């Protein structure tokens, strides 16, 4: 009879120990999952920021490119013939 009581107590104790281990394992896995999830969200956020920055830089490039082309064309097309200051007329 005492052995049955001891077996019952030991089974109950083993069950409690197993539940503690299961809870610890569950908490550890939950923590790892949250860490991976936050890294994934961070990665998505960084990718979105990068795409916005690329679009912004492309917009600036296009705007400046147009301005530079206008300046270059005006310099080439608006020629003003002049005699160079070092030119010496010899007769």
């Amino acid at each position: 009879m005492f052995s049955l009581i001891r077996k019952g107590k030991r089974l109950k104790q083993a069950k409690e120990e197993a539940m503690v281990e299961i809870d610890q394992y569950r908490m550890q896995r939950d923590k790892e999952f949250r860490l991976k999830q936050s890294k994934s969200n961070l990665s998505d956020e960084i990718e979105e920021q990068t795409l916005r920055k690329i679009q912004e830089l492309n917009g600036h490039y296009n705007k400046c490119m147009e301005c530079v082309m206008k300046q270059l064309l005006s310099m080439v097309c608006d020629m003003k013939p002049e005699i160079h200051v070092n030119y010496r007329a010899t007769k």
Side-chain angles (χ1 to χ4, degrees), residues 17-64:
E17 290 172 1
M19 293 300 287
V20 168
E21 286 181 33
I22 289 170
D23 287 341
Q24 288 175 349
Y25 179 76
R26 184 178 293 138
M27 288 187 327
Q28 177 187 0
R29 297 297 289 178
D30 190 43
K31 182 179 178 181
E32 291 172 4
F33 174 74
R34 287 183 184 158
L35 181 64
K36 286 181 182 179
Q37 190 177 26
S38 70
K39 284 183 181 179
S40 174
N41 290 342
L42 182 61
S43 174
D44 292 343
E45 184 177 324
I46 289 172
E47 188 171 335
E48 287 176 20
Q49 288 176 352
T50 302
L51 290 175
R52 282 195 303 263
K53 187 68 175 177
I54 289 172
Q55 289 174 346
E56 180 182 326
L57 290 174
N58 281 335
H60 288 306
Y61 167 79
N62 290 333
K63 182 179 177 184
C64 291

Side-chain angles (χ1 to χ4, degrees), residues 3-25:
S3 64
L4 287 176
I5 294 173
R6 275 189 276 158
K7 280 185 182 180
K9 285 183 181 181
R10 180 64 191 128
L11 284 173
K12 187 175 182 181
Q13 182 183 6
K15 182 179 178 182
E16 289 172 359
E17 290 172 1
M19 293 300 287
V20 168
E21 286 181 33
I22 289 170
D23 287 341
Q24 288 175 349
Y25 179 76

